Amino acid sequence: MARSTGTRYGTARLRTVALIGVDGSGKTTQAHRLAEALAAAGHPATYHRNAGGRRWLGRAAHRLGRPDAQGLLGRDAMLLVESVLRWLAIAMALLGCLFTGRVAVMDRYAACQYASLRAHGGQRWERLIRAAYRVFPQPQVTFLLTVPPAEAYRRIERRGTDQESLPYLTAADLAYRTLPESPSFVPIDGDRPADQVAREIRAHLAEWVSVDDEPDEPGPQRYRPWLPGPVTALVPIHALPWTTGPVAIQARP
């Protein structure tokens, strides 16, 4: 498929796209959709959920009678463990895509760890963590999904798979907006139906992903492989069939 080379993203082949934002902003839903859209447009992609283990640690804490991961390990230890686990996840994702040539669609990236440090009051570790994460290349595009903290809190409570406090979500939202990297983020209003959010993300990647803005023709629905089906609610990550590791999404013939 021929592509124009005169775009703001330059002539390089698309390799890495990151979706970041507070919990409940819709990162996972949109990352899956984007990987599918890229594959349908002829760019095989792999979804990677670069989690820091806080959900797993939180469940372990509950089993041991502690309120959360911070209560189990202490704030500093929790942040360091989270930083190491996320570093390993990102490293494995990048290496896998380097060898396979697939596009890496990153559900969370380095900026998520910097924001977590700031939101949890762990700024003293930020310089060290940044030094460790500096080995990772910057994604060609980083989408920052934004939602009001109160809406993010409602979504998290509704899905019922994890817990976050409203003060933490408010602090994390501010942290993302004030990171030194924030001017390079592409802000996406995540407080809209998932179809609209997905369409805007694809529009920013129009060099690689076809975007169909024409109204549906009357009669039978046309087949549009780049346009995922409608989503009526956020799908909890644990309910998806691809949660045990990276998801390789093949391009359709």
Side-chain angles (χ1 to χ4, degrees), residues 48 50 87-98 106 136 246:
H48 295 276
N50 301 310
W87 190 97
L88 291 171
I90 294 173
M92 293 298 293
L94 292 174
L95 285 173
C97 288
L98 177 65
M106 300 294 207
F136 299 139

Side-chain angles (χ1 to χ4, degrees), residues 212-224:
D212 185 1
D213 290 321
E214 298 177 0
D216 288 337
E217 294 176 354
Q221 184 176 3
R222 292 179 294 171
Y223 175 62
R224 298 175 180 173

